Amino acid sequence: HSVGIIGAPFSKGQPRDGVQLGPDVIREAGLVKKLEGQGCVVKDYGNLIFEDVSNDEPIGRTKQPRVVGLANKQVADAVQRVKNDGHTCVMLGGDHSLAIGSIHGHAAYRPELSVVWVDAHADINTPLTSPTGNIHGQPMSYLIRELCTKIPVLPNFSWIKPCIAAQDVVYIGLRDVDPEEHHILKHLGIKTFCMTEVDSLGIAKVMEQMCDHIFSKIKKPIHLSYDIDALDPSVAPATGTPVIGGLTYREGIYITEYVCQTGLLSAVDVVEVNPKQAKREEEARFTANVAVDLVLGCFGRVREG
Ligand SMILES: N[C@](CCCC[B-](O)(O)O)(CCN1CCCCC1)C(=O)O
Ligand SMILES: [Mn+2]
Ligand SMILES: [Mn+2]
Ligand SMILES: [Mn+2]
């Protein structure tokens, strides 16, 4: 595997300080060395530098639109460059608003994508349905073609062209979905495997059925957007919006091993690691180590040795 890593130290899609430290704590946990240790060729493109935007007043309830829009344009350009250079792209967040740029830049390189969204949350609020105005709860609404009529004009968002079809999206791990999000998911017929299905089917069946769904027509490259809060807080405590009843470590890793063996993984985001949300330093380190293990699973690490 040839891997290109981008660090996106960005936190303005949500209100909690610390998630901008995600890229560096994940690197400090040994990501590059461990990828190389399992035979990957790794190019670390370093961290993007995000300028601040003054007077970034909310638009309606939507908070920090200008700095989020600007940051995601940088992410989109960087991801497209990594793909043009021939690597599988690993985008280290930072909050989940960064998926706007990551998926947009990936789709600019490869227009036909399937998106596997692993998360406790659906992150599909529109600016008008969001209960918080935090853009990390909204990224999918800007990307899904069928929602484009529901999105108001926002400053620094005009570059975004919806690039994903609802039928090409699958969710795994949902357990904290807002009522309006649930309506959108149902209305668009988006395939979801919430934690009830993970329990009733088991993760192996979930992954089989997920692939049946996204590959039902033609096989499209996979964009895996992995929110660390999909995992149970006992496994990934250092995150901003923890929700109990999450994926076990083994289920979380199985997802990455399964996606890896499809041979179709083209880009992966690992987001929402926030060391400042840990009660103790070792919780932050533990969470970073789990994030590293997820990436290693994406690139061929198997538990049998
Ligand atoms: N859906 C929420 C949470 C978004 C989490 C973003 B992620 O997945 O990137 O971490 C709101 C959640 N909800 C608000 C009302 C009280 C219960 C929680 C939102 O703010 O839109
Ligand atoms: Mn989440
Ligand atoms: Mn309806
Ligand atoms: Mn998320």
Side-chain angles (χ1 to χ4, degrees):
H1 301 276
S2 172
V3 182
I5 297 171
I6 302 171
F10 187 74
S11 69
K12 302 294 186 191
Q14 54 82 61
R16 297 163 206 85
D17 184 47
V19 70
Q20 73 280 2
L21 303 172
D24 289 345
V25 295
I26 291 172
R27 284 201 187 85
E28 274 151 37
L31 177 62
V32 175
K33 282 271 167 293
K34 289 177 179 174
L35 280 169
E36 288 169 340
Q38 59 183 54
C40 297
V41 174
V42 182
K43 177 173 181 182
D44 188 346
Y45 287 73
N47 286 350
L48 295 170
I49 298 171
F50 299 115
E51 298 126 55
D52 208 355
V53 172
S54 52
N55 311 325
D56 194 3
E57 295 308 310
I59 306 256
R61 245 175 317 183
T62 306
K63 301 182 176 88
Q64 312 268 3
R66 297 164 193 79
V67 70
V68 171
L70 191 64
N72 274 288
K73 181 68 175 78
Q74 287 179 249
V75 171
D77 294 343
V79 168
Q80 188 171 2
R81 189 179 323 118
V82 170
K83 290 308 298 174
N84 282 326
D85 289 353
H87 308 291
T88 301
C89 187
V90 176
M91 195 275 291
L92 303 177
D95 71 65
H96 221 162
S97 67
L98 294 164
I100 297 168
S102 182
I103 291 171
H104 199 282
H106 189 190
Y109 172 80
R110 258 327 234 296
E112 289 297 300
L113 289 178
S114 49
V115 174
V116 179
W117 196 278
V118 184
D119 201 326
H121 312 93
D123 295 3
I124 200 168
N125 276 300
T126 72
L128 303 177
T129 70
S130 170
T132 62
N134 299 329
I135 298 178
H136 76 154
Q138 305 174 26
M140 285 295 257
S141 77
Y142 301 99
L143 296 165
I144 291 174
R145 289 196 194 97
E146 292 88 338
L147 287 173
C148 65
T149 59
K150 308 288 184 197
I151 305 297
V153 171
L154 288 171
N156 291 356
F157 276 65
S158 58
W159 60 274
I160 301 169
K161 306 280 166 284
C163 49
I164 301 291
Q167 67 179 17
D168 291 331
V169 175
V170 178
Y171 283 92
I172 305 173
L174 297 180
R175 56 191 185 276
D176 182 12
V177 177
D178 300 325
E180 295 272 8
E181 290 184 301
H182 188 247
H183 177 84
I184 290 168
L185 292 173
K186 287 292 161 213
H187 205 58
L188 296 183
I190 291 177
K191 186 74 178 166
T192 63
F193 293 97
C194 70
M195 287 309 297
T196 308
E197 274 112 337
V198 172
D199 289 334
S200 62
L201 294 172
I203 195 67
K205 272 267 174 305
V206 164
M207 297 309 286
E208 279 168 42
Q209 292 187 16
M210 182 207 74
C211 284
D212 291 347
H213 178 80
I214 55 174
F215 301 147
S216 53
K217 293 188 186 55
I218 56 161
K219 290 196 175 236
K220 297 174 179 160
I222 292 173
H223 186 111
L224 174 64
S225 204
Y226 213 124
D227 187 327
I228 200 77
D229 72 29
L231 300 175
D232 190 82
S234 62
V235 175
T239 192
T241 48
V243 185
I244 61 171
L247 296 168
T248 64
Y249 172 84
R250 289 160 43 193
E251 288 167 335
I253 293 292
Y254 186 86
I255 291 169
T256 65
E257 291 173 342
Y258 196 99
V259 167
C260 177
Q261 60 81 39
T262 66
L264 290 162
L265 181 65
S266 182
V268 53
D269 311 319
V270 180
V271 297
E272 298 284 351
V273 170
N274 184 340
K276 289 193 177 173
Q277 288 292 313
K279 293 185 202 65
R280 293 180 303 282
E281 151 68 17
E282 59 266 23
E283 279 190 355
R285 237 198 331 271
F286 186 82
T287 305
N289 287 330
V290 169
V292 168
D293 288 353
L294 293 175
V295 179
L296 298 181
C298 288
F299 295 102
R301 190 185 76 144
V302 286
R303 285 171 273 174
E304 77 181 48

